[in-house]
């Protein structure tokens, strides 16, 4: 679609990641117009390998939205997870502990492909390779998005702007100084992640505690294994030839009667571990969602799921506002989302703290505490249930009522 075709929309969405695309689709189904502006190419966005664990609530929503057909066909449903420590595996049965709930393994890039296809089919505008997006007038009733597309300067006037542009986006920075409180925790380690062309060595994820550091066995499909190793936060990937990666993975996953399958490594990269929340998640006519406003360490597999939960609340609030002029949902957006965000933050921090080797743990005190916690998890139904219900995902929340709005 040409950018000349529009100068105004109801919701200007910045970013075509999971948050922006799910929001756009939910709004479209309610007859609300939106324009999505994305600074990368379609090819780049559809090829970006990131999350892969979908909570039950995320899966249910994608199906309800009509974009779950391939997900239901190709997604791998998991009913449990293995916690491995001291060279022994212990299974946490999600379905038994949570009344039949589970997770689905389906790559974020596949979710994004399905959502982009649905957007294009709907005819609703989605512009790739847009430069220099500038939110303006967010304190007024007529905010706008300035941007450049195809070499031309454009301005899109909006009723509201949704900042779904990830951690490094521009929308959060458009909020005046002092209006947001930023809280952050940076962990003293990162993850070295690989994708390998080999069938997974286990049917379920394996979270592994080891004296050499944390390791995670995951997968993207029956042919592709995803593996992670705890590493330095600024680890130089050049120091990790494939042989070294496999040797380290074998050492950490060592378990009697089990072996790790090797295959060609087709992608590798280092991700730092960070927790971050900006509060409130809104300012004037700008609403922030997903990684633009909170980051969780990947250990809890919550990032994509939180992004989806945010925009579900935002779509409901916008629907109320556009349909009936009821502003309460929009005013309560942040108050509705933040309790879930902080619970997910806590879960991700707890999982991270329990599994990773702490660099300053010289006498092994922290490692002993971690092992005690893991032992307890695997011997107490109550403790295992707590992990299971957080892992499959807390129920999606409904909009806050007037008296909850602060
Ligand atoms: C290695 C890795 C592994 C992960 N594993 C998991 C996991 O297992 N489970 C899980 O739930 N989460 C996981 N996450 C987190 C998850 O990927 C993110 O939380 C998720 O992508 C958030 O979606 P989002 O739409 O908010 O942001 P993003 O996916 O970052 O999307 C933001 C979009 O905005 C675009 N953009 C940025 N700036 C601009 C701009 N100025 N103008 C226009 N567009 C812009 C970006 O190109 C991008 O397309 C992982 C993340 C990483 C990096």
């Amino acid at each position: 679609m040409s950018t000349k075709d529009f100068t105004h929309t109801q919701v200007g969405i910045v970013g075509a990641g999971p948050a922006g695309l799910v929001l756009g689709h939910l709004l479209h189904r309610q007859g609300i117009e939106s324009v999505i502006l994305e600074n990368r190419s379609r090819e780049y966005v559809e090829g970006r390998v990131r999350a892969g664990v979908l909570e039950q609530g995320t899966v249910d929503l994608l199906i309800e939205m009509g974009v779950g057909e391939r997900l239901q066909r190709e997604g791998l449903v998991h009913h449990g997870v293995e916690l491995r420590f001291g060279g022994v595996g212990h299974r946490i049965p999600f379905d038994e502990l949570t009344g039949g709930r589970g997770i689905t393994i389906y790559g974020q890039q596949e979710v994004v492909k399905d959502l982009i296809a649905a957007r294009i089919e709907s005819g609703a505008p989605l512009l790739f390779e847009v430069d220099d997006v500038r939110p303006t007038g967010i304190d007024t009733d007529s905010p706008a998005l300035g941007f450049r597309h195809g070499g031309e300067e454009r301005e899109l006037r909006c009723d509201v702007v949704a900042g779904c542009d990830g951690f490094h986006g521009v929308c959060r920075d458009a909020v005046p100084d002092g209006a947001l409180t930023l809280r952050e925790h940076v962990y003293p380690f990162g993850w070295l992640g690989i994708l390998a062309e080999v069938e997974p060595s286990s049917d379920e994820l394996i979270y592994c505690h080891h004296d050499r550091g944390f390791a995670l066995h995951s997968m993207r499909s029956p042919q592709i294994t995803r593996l992670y190793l705890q590493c330095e936060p600024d680890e130089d990937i050049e120091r990790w030839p494939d042989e070294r990666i496999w040797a380290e993975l074998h050492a950490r996953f060592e378990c009697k009667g089990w072996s790790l399958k090797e295959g060609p490594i087709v992608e590798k990269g280092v991700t730092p571990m960070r927790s971050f929340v900006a509060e409130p998640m809104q300012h004037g006519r700008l609403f922030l969602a997903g990684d633009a406003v909170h980051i969780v360490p990947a250990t809890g597999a919550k990032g994509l799921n939180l992004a989806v939960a945010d925009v579900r609340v935002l779509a409901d609030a916008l629907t109320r506002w556009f349909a009936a002029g009821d502003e309460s949902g929009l005013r309560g957006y942040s108050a509705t989302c933040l309790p879930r965000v902080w619970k997910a933050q806590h879960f991700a921090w707890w999982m991270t703290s329990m599994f990773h080797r702490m660099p300053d743990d010289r006498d092994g005190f922290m490692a002993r505490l971690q092992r005690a916690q893991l032992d307890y998890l695997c011997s107490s139904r109550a403790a295992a249930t707590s992990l299971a219900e957080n892992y499959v995902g807390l129920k999606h929340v409904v909009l806050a009522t007037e008296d909850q709005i602060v």
Side-chain angles (χ1 to χ4, degrees):
M1 172 170 192
S2 158
T3 54
K4 293 192 174 105
D5 297 345
F6 56 81
T7 53
H8 176 267
T9 190
Q10 288 175 292
V11 185
I13 301 175
V14 187
L21 291 166
V22 170
L23 178 63
H25 199 70
L26 287 171
L27 294 176
H28 176 73
R29 282 162 52 90
Q30 295 299 327
I32 298 169
E33 284 173 16
S34 66
V35 174
I36 304 181
L37 304 179
E38 165 62 48
N39 65 353
R40 300 289 197 156
S41 67
R42 177 175 179 181
E43 195 186 12
Y44 181 90
V45 172
E46 290 189 340
R48 191 165 43 195
V49 175
R50 283 183 163 186
V53 177
L54 305 185
E55 291 178 353
Q56 185 78 56
T58 303
V59 171
D60 294 347
L61 180 68
L62 293 171
I63 293 170
E64 193 186 310
M65 286 165 61
V67 290
E69 191 265 329
R70 200 163 63 94
L71 158 66
Q72 282 174 289
R73 201 161 17 94
E74 296 177 15
L76 309 172
V77 179
H78 285 193
H79 295 291
V81 70
E82 179 181 326
L83 309 186
R84 186 174 291 186
F85 51 97
V88 179
H90 307 259
R91 184 168 186 268
I92 304 287
F94 294 153
D95 49 353
E96 204 182 304
L97 297 168
T98 65
R101 292 163 73 79
I103 52 165
T104 300
I105 306 300
Y106 189 66
Q108 176 169 326
Q109 74 279 13
E110 305 306 324
V111 174
V112 164
K113 276 182 210 160
D114 296 344
L115 287 162
I116 289 176
R119 179 84 185 175
I120 288 172
E121 199 186 320
S122 75
L126 161 56
L127 304 184
F128 291 101
E129 298 180 71
V130 166
D131 289 321
D132 197 17
V133 175
R134 281 154 280 124
T136 55
I138 57 168
D139 278 314
T140 71
D141 288 348
S142 50
L145 291 169
F147 62 98
R148 222 172 27 255
H149 191 239
E152 286 188 57
E153 276 300 325
R154 292 279 144 199
E155 188 184 62
L156 175 67
R157 285 177 294 106
C158 315
D159 295 329
V160 301
V161 171
C164 301
D165 49 347
F167 186 66
H168 299 288
V170 291
C171 289
R172 193 176 64 248
D173 289 345
V175 177
D177 283 350
L180 298 182
T181 302
L182 312 182
R183 295 187 173 86
E184 184 175 36
H185 181 72
V186 178
Y187 300 84
F189 35 76
W191 278 14
L192 192 163
I194 63 162
L195 273 184
E197 279 176 345
V198 60
E199 69 176 285
S201 308
S202 162
D203 290 341
E204 294 178 336
L205 272 69
I206 305 172
Y207 279 75
C208 183
H209 179 276
H210 195 278
D211 290 345
R212 299 176 70 90
F214 169 70
L216 175 62
H217 170 279
S218 182
M219 62 286 290
R220 287 297 176 265
S221 71
Q223 298 82 29
I224 302 282
T225 301
R226 183 86 163 135
L227 293 153
Y228 295 98
L229 285 170
Q230 176 183 351
C231 63
E232 296 299 320
D234 55 353
E235 189 71 64
D236 178 6
I237 196 77
E238 297 302 323
R239 295 195 323 116
W240 287 84
D242 295 1
E243 310 72 56
R244 182 176 173 204
I245 293 175
W246 287 116
E248 192 61 34
L249 285 165
H250 283 294
R252 296 192 194 181
F253 280 115
E254 189 181 17
C255 179
K256 211 167 168 216
W258 186 89
S259 61
L260 181 66
K261 293 179 184 137
E262 288 191 26
I265 295 178
V266 290
E267 189 167 314
K268 55 179 154 179
V270 171
T271 314
M273 293 269 127
R274 181 201 301 270
S275 301
F276 168 84
V277 182
E279 297 182 54
M281 292 167 58
Q282 62 195 91
H283 181 83
R285 289 283 181 96
L286 171 67
F287 297 85
L288 298 166
D291 277 17
V293 67
H294 43 66
I295 294 281
V296 283
T299 328
K302 291 285 164 248
L304 181 157
N305 297 294
L306 269 186
V308 170
D310 287 350
V311 294
R312 181 178 202 169
V313 174
L314 184 55
D316 281 352
L318 288 167
T319 303
R320 274 197 207 172
W321 188 52
F322 284 116
D326 176 358
E327 232 183 284
S328 62
L330 285 181
R331 285 196 292 115
Y333 167 65
S334 185
T336 304
C337 293
L338 280 170
R340 188 176 211 281
V341 168
W342 278 109
K343 283 177 199 135
Q345 284 290 359
H346 179 267
F347 180 67
W349 164 84
W350 176 70
M351 289 284 284
T352 304
S353 310
M354 183 165 60
F355 277 103
H356 289 74
R357 186 170 52 80
M358 297 296 162
D360 55 358
D361 187 27
R362 289 189 189 83
D363 62 1
F365 182 84
M366 294 306 294
R368 289 287 188 283
L369 289 183
Q370 292 170 334
R371 283 290 294 273
Q373 176 75 79
L374 286 163
D375 266 340
Y376 177 54
L377 267 177
C378 299
S379 57
S380 156
R381 188 177 173 89
T385 303
S386 173
L387 184 146
E389 70 182 11
N390 277 285
Y391 205 93
V392 301
L394 302 176
K395 293 237 159 63
H396 279 197
V397 285
V398 291
L399 280 168
T401 54
E402 280 289 317
D403 58 337
Q404 291 170 309
I405 299 170
V406 284

